[in-house]
Amino acid sequence: MAAALWSLVLLGALCGLGRAMSREEKSKLRNQVVEMFDHAYQNYMDHAYPADELMPLTCRGRVRGLEPSRGDVDDALGKFSLTLIDTLDTLVLLNKTTEFDVAVRRVLTDVRLDNDIVVSVFETNIRVLGGLLGGHSMAVMLRDGGQHMQWYQDELLHMAKDLGLRLLPAFNTSSGLPYPRVNLKFGVRGPETRTGIETDTCTACAGTMILEFAALSRFTGDPVFEAHARRALDFLWEKRQRHSNLVGTTINIHSGEWVRRDSGVGAGIDSYYEYLLKAYILLGDDLFLQRFNIHYASIMKYISQPPLLLDVHIHKPLLPARTWMDALLAFFPGLQVLKGDIRPAIETHEMLYQVTKKHNFLPEAFTTDFRVHWAQHPLRPEFAESTYFLYKATGDPYYLEAGRTILDNLNRFARVPCGFAAMKDVRTGSHEDRMDSFFLAEMFKYLFLLFADAEDLTFDVEDYIFTTEAHLLPLSLSTAPHSSSIPSNRTSKEELDDSNFDWTCPNTRLLFPDPAFPRKLRDPIRSAVDKSCPRPPPYREPGMGHPPLRAQDFMANNPEHLELLRRMGVSLIHLKDGRVQLVQHATQAVSAVAAEDGVRFMQEMMELSSQQQKEQLPPRAIQIVSHPFFGRVVLTAGPAQFGLDLSKSSTGVRGFATVAEPYSGCSEITNAEYVRGHIALLQRGQCMFAEKARHIQKAGAIGGIVIDDNEGSSSDTAPLFQMAGDGRSTDDIPMPLLFLFYKEGNILLEALKEYREVEVLLSDKARDRGVDEPGTEEDCLTEATTPTSFEPIGQSQASTSEPDQLTQSQQDVSSVEQDTSPAEEAQLLEDEDEEEDDGEDDGEDEDDGDGEDDGDAASPGEDGTDAHLAPPRGERDSEDREEPAGDSDSGGQQVDELLADWREDLEAFQQMEKDEL
């Protein structure tokens, strides 16, 4: 039945929808996919192997411990040639059997799995164990074909079992949920492991083991792996919230208590749902489908707001948990195709497609009105995955065009001489020195299959299931010998009321009697995103005669708004320095519903503060446009408070780079004949930034780039700098000056050393090989979504403003002190000599740019929730903030729980990569 379900799901509609793509066009695009894969794979093998990943900007391998730590992201790296293992079955799918043979031999010869290194259990399972099992499946298929891999004797399977045994110690918990990390050599117990002290893991991390572990058990005949994965799934099922049938994002692996109770289909939970359905397809156990159906009903009831998918709280599922979505939920339309629920899959995919067309890539997070919330894009494949599944389900050539868009954007914006670089900021087009292994493992599989016909494949892909990392496991495993004694926490029939769900997939002809039906679903969504970046209707609380006040609409001098705040238990306090403080006491609200509205209003204040702080200072871009880069390398740069504002320049400043002498730029330039008409490179330190600018400007430079002198600094690991003036007027500096960290600056200096003549473009965002992009979509890229800005202060939710500055609902107000900016985006620096070893302090004003503000931690106050409204930049004094003492508040337990729920979401996105890369 599992195989039949899989085949039925992937039957394309017999009727064509829209303009058909010719076989020649599909063939051309398919060949383009192969060429792009070759470019990425060969550069990894030439410049990075045997390292885990390629650093495409510096053309070298990323070796853990030799590069600056990126935190939890590096837990995927285990010194086991990650990218090569992750790519094995991609080579076979792309008909590269010779390269596959060579790659398998290299894995067997070079890769060690007993390294003394702490790795993510989740990432190692889906990437390395999954890669070994997918490679084994392909090797067996080729060997049985009689032409290739005749020498193969299950060596990859032996390695997979070795790795599985090294992961098993992580499951040694009372709950059966695995520790998030394990030492490949020493396990989780003992001081030499340097792990085993964690208490929390994400739901996806614990619930995304069953496919790989069950496959390992059935390949080897050892039931221990499948048993542990099933036990973890059983525990998560038991801990679901019984009223909503939803699961939280983070759980305590010992007690089973939910640490984060927000629930969605994106980061931290996504592949848990995916593996329930796919475990049924692969293993044929009805239990998994029954559980998935129950979860899916709740997702569609509470989380799905077509075309949006918004997180809610598991205990209060009618209460939205945030106003933005993360990019990982882009897999969900593909999962809905497997479920057979095509209509919402079409709607959500269309929303994602339009956001992609707005920003070239899916931002790592975006708001409900489709603006950038977090601008990074690490070349994630989930949108391509859903595009492929929707094309297979509908046969609509519209999805072939969506695939063409993905290809074009990768080539135009992410391709660099040494591979493909992740986008550091989709608004500027700047790059990050990163090409994750999943890019080769997943992206090229789905794109190749999208444009491939049956005769282009050497095997029937419908005989396999895709894991979450797109590794191929054969459906024949459902009949493989396995222990019938594997314990399973069977669910009672009372809990399994899934009578509303079909157990077979629908006929697409019945779904779409009118070939234009999918287009009719897509057009309103396209219009909504394209025309005005609209917000969804305000949330209406049941029983309320009017929608509650939203933070983005609040005006401090509007009597009607003040009355609404009073009803929600929120009061305004006017401070002596002109600021307005908002304080919320739940017990002063007119009702429990109004109190919940007040908590939501205060939460929105903080979310909007965080968003505006990030939006108010977007980074600038330095694009290398000369041969052989041709605009493909884009470096993230920080702006100055003075000089040309590149965000207001349609063309930017373009010129050849040259190193100024003296390099510090702190005295008259001695090589003025070379600097004249060029963009001067300078080193940070010894004098003020404005002084450097004046010296190179006097020498005739058309722009300047200051390179950090702190060896090892990088925009990947440090917040961006904004360079400050020198305390006097800088109107005499009309040229632009940008700041590069050491790592990015070194890329430019190395290019200059190798090619001598290096032309760069200084701009607000990267241009497409010198072609200016239209600016008609700017409003949807960076427009602030609220009239005011809010900044948490102390143990309060806070920001400040003059009351009369809040009278216009569309007025943007800065949320930072006159001489500081948020740590997440930028700090204003005065470029005095900041060497730590000299200990000198000449007394001039300066900001060390450490990005820390001791008063800005957002945490619940003991006597209520409060917020300050922020005054405009330049009108706020820099004295310490004054906070009145609040009255003791003993609000009801219901509101306290709600407040705790909202607090948890404050750090939700910062923890996203900890939950799942």
Side-chain angles (χ1 to χ4, degrees), residues 24 63 93 159 206 221 285 302 332 388 430-431 504 507 519 597 676 686 706 720 747 877:
E24 291 74 18
V63 179
L93 187 69
M159 290 185 68
D285 188 339
Y302 300 119
F332 197 67
Y388 162 66
S430 58
H431 290 137
T504 58
N507 186 315
R519 178 172 53 79
D597 286 341
R676 187 174 299 108
Q686 300 183 31
V706 178
L720 201 60
I747 293 173
D877 60 51

Side-chain angles (χ1 to χ4, degrees), residues 233-275:
L233 279 178
D234 288 344
F235 190 83
L236 290 173
W237 172 254
E238 284 300 312
K239 291 300 177 179
R240 75 193 186 284
Q241 210 289 321
R242 298 303 177 99
H243 171 69
S244 65
N245 279 316
L246 295 173
V247 292
T249 301
T250 308
I251 190 170
N252 186 294
I253 61 176
H254 303 296
S255 67
E257 295 295 319
W258 291 110
V259 179
R260 280 180 49 200
R261 290 173 284 178
D262 48 311
S263 183
V265 296
I269 302 180
D270 50 0
S271 50
Y272 163 70
Y273 294 133
E274 177 186 3
Y275 269 37

